[in-house]
Amino acid sequence: MHFRKFKANNIFTGKEFLGAEMVLITDNEGLIIDITNTKDAGDNIENFDGILTPGFINAHCHLELSHMKNIVPPGTGLVQFVQQVMTKRSASDEEKLDAMQKAEQELYQTGTVAVGDICNTADSISTKQKSNIYWHNFVEVSGFVDAMAGKRLEDAKSILEKFQKTNSKKQKSTLSPHAPYSVSKTLFQQLNNETIDQLITIHNQECGAEEELYKNKTGGFLELYKNFGIDISGFQPTGKSSLQSFLPYFTNKQSIISVHNTFTKADDINFMNTKEQELFFCVCINANKYIEQTIPPFNLLRSGGHAIVIGTDSYASNRQLNIVEEIKTIQKETNIPLQEILTWATSNGAKALRITNNFGSFEKGKKPGVVLIDNVSGSLTTDGSTARRII
Ligand SMILES: [Zn+2]
């Protein structure tokens, strides 16, 4: 067997830093063999300037929107953003495929090894079949008119079937609700029955208007429904936040990746702590800055005891699909230690996507990818930090 031996200014295991004196040993394919002291590692050690980390897990992306770079301008707010994505997402098949392939390459080269990816169409199947990344496809279900719930579920299930035909060790697919403002009561109930014991995701509390809708049936979304001719006369406000309104629908041991959480409040965290569901908070800081010019309440999210994970969202609301750029922005905007943020990006992400058997940490027998973050200053990323895949 041929070994590779890696040493750097620091090694991050997926949970902790080991310092500069340890050597990571893998086989030629990147299977983790051992982590050992330099004096026991023998010769042919490859030295790197920076931090070595397991490959990143991008817990929220929309590969199929990769052609939408620079289409929606920054700072519109979510309601405008959603309307623009809905009306401007069409493009030629060739254009879409080309953009998805480039995005997949970018994800791979910048150290992402697994992606939780939202799918409204089957467009991304061929790109994913050729990909060396692990994909969890969340086939998205939406429909705010209650009478249409059955039809909307059937449509999504036919897309799910197409993805499931390509299932392999590198792909898994489940249904997921789009967002509290786009899924009706009956559709939530049906989804609960379709996703027993499964991993699902939902866009949650991405803007203040979501709260206004659920509390008082007021706010920006009413305009959106009007513009699209969506009859919301059947919608009853719950008087509660959107999170507290939708979470009780899921009673079948689902684990849930709640994405964005930009407007999540302390009483939501308290509410969640009364529930038994396994919940992950996914933060997409660059997308939040792009759309809403705001950032998630990190300290509040950290206080709840639920694991945090990181996503890029799509090219419609981000300038790159590069986890290290998310990490850099989080470090710049907060004083959260790099060790904690890297845990979100690696072992927490693997736990959320249910792939800890192979990903998220440098443990013997796993093949998590080896990624170098360079231009670091101690345990701080700098503007110049980049990430690249070593193996
Ligand atoms: Zn999204």
Side-chain angles (χ1 to χ4, degrees):
M1 193 191 289
H2 288 279
F3 294 114
R4 289 187 70 180
K5 300 172 185 173
F6 306 102
K7 202 175 167 202
N9 305 43
N10 215 331
I11 294 178
F12 178 72
T13 62
K15 294 189 174 81
E16 58 185 351
F17 282 117
L18 298 180
E21 288 311 311
M22 301 302 276
V23 177
L24 174 70
I25 305 174
T26 76
D27 75 1
N28 260 351
E29 308 289 309
L31 187 79
I32 306 297
I33 306 292
D34 204 0
I35 297 178
T36 187
N37 274 306
T38 308
K39 62 177 170 46
D40 302 322
D43 46 15
N44 296 323
I45 297 172
E46 301 173 53
N47 275 291
F48 293 93
D49 200 4
I51 296 170
L52 291 171
T53 166
F56 300 131
I57 315 297
N58 184 341
H60 184 75
C61 187
H62 304 240
L63 190 69
E64 66 185 23
L65 298 181
S66 296
H67 61 285
M68 293 199 71
K69 200 174 186 173
N70 297 324
I71 303 268
V72 184
T76 60
L78 182 69
V79 176
Q80 261 301 315
F81 179 83
V82 170
Q83 296 201 53
Q84 295 209 30
V85 169
M86 285 169 79
T87 51
K88 295 178 177 172
R89 66 177 286 169
S90 67
S92 71
D93 288 350
E94 203 184 340
E95 212 178 315
K96 287 194 243 179
L97 198 62
D98 185 55
M100 282 189 285
Q101 281 168 357
K102 286 192 176 119
E104 190 275 339
Q105 278 303 302
E106 179 193 7
L107 285 161
Y108 184 86
Q109 284 159 4
T110 57
T112 290
V113 293
V115 182
D117 193 55
I118 304 288
C119 312
N120 297 113
T121 68
D123 290 350
S124 59
I125 285 178
S126 63
T127 303
K128 286 168 180 170
Q129 277 183 296
K130 283 180 263 169
S131 171
N132 285 316
I133 294 172
Y134 175 93
W135 298 89
H136 187 109
N137 304 303
F138 295 109
V139 174
E140 198 163 77
V141 186
S142 66
F144 207 54
V145 178
D146 213 40
M148 294 297 286
K151 163 90 173 81
R152 299 305 289 261
L153 183 66
E154 286 314 308
D155 290 349
K157 280 168 83 173
S158 73
I159 295 171
L160 179 71
E161 270 171 39
K162 289 181 188 164
F163 276 99
Q164 284 176 334
K165 277 186 192 145
T166 69
N167 261 5
S168 64
K169 275 203 308 211
K170 280 170 37 205
Q171 270 195 74
K172 196 156 168 47
S173 309
T174 50
L175 294 173
S176 281
H178 167 244
Y181 59 81
S182 65
V183 176
S184 73
K185 189 177 172 194
T186 303
L187 195 48
F188 268 125
Q189 288 165 345
Q190 291 177 344
L191 270 169
N192 179 42
N193 292 327
E194 294 288 339
T195 57
I196 299 166
D197 284 329
Q198 290 181 2
L199 165 65
I200 63 171
T201 192
I202 184 167
H203 294 83
N204 173 58
Q205 295 177 307
E206 193 174 351
C207 69
E210 205 174 298
E211 183 105 346
E212 292 175 66
L213 176 71
Y214 268 84
K215 285 207 160 145
N216 312 307
K217 203 175 178 176
T218 56
F221 279 109
L222 300 193
E223 190 67 23
L224 179 141
Y225 301 134
K226 207 169 114 196
N227 292 345
F228 286 101
I230 298 167
D231 173 16
I232 60 156
S233 56
F235 173 75
Q236 297 288 338
T238 59
K240 296 175 187 157
S241 74
S242 53
L243 178 81
Q244 293 179 46
S245 303
F246 81 74
L247 211 54
Y249 286 117
F250 293 100
T251 59
N252 284 324
K253 295 195 167 73
Q254 293 89 350
S255 60
I256 304 175
I257 301 177
S258 173
V259 182
H260 291 303
N261 318 295
T262 333
F263 290 82
T264 300
K265 306 270 176 10
D267 65 331
D268 295 317
I269 304 287
N270 294 337
F271 176 81
M272 282 167 42
N273 291 343
T274 67
K275 299 272 155 201
E276 283 173 12
Q277 279 137 327
E278 188 176 26
L279 217 125
F280 298 89
F281 284 126
C282 180
V283 291
C284 306
I285 191 169
N286 285 336
N288 297 147
K289 288 180 68 137
Y290 191 104
I291 299 173
E292 288 280 340
Q293 293 172 318
T294 183
I295 66 169
F298 281 94
N299 287 334
L300 182 69
L301 299 180
R302 291 161 84 203
S303 74
H306 300 276
I308 298 177
V309 298
I310 299 179
T312 56
D313 221 344
S314 77
Y315 259 124
S317 60
N318 206 336
R319 292 176 174 84
Q320 64 280 311
L321 306 182
N322 183 343
I323 290 291
V324 86
E325 293 299 327
E326 305 297 313
I327 293 171
K328 284 160 69 174
T329 308
I330 296 169
Q331 276 220 300
K332 229 187 243 181
E333 299 274 355
T334 71
N335 54 10
I336 300 171
L338 184 60
Q339 176 187 344
E340 184 177 344
I341 307 171
L342 281 174
T343 302
W344 302 350
T346 57
S347 54
N348 280 11
K351 192 168 172 232
L353 293 189
R354 301 179 170 184
I355 51 174
T356 51
N357 60 327
N358 211 22
F359 294 100
S361 60
F362 288 145
E363 286 174 83
K364 280 179 201 175
K366 296 188 184 184
K367 207 173 149 188
V370 179
V371 173
L372 178 74
I373 305 175
D374 65 7
N375 292 309
V376 290
S377 165
S379 59
L380 284 173
T381 53
T382 66
D383 284 343
S385 295
T386 64
R388 68 186 162 90
R389 192 184 268 257
I390 303 297
I391 197 162

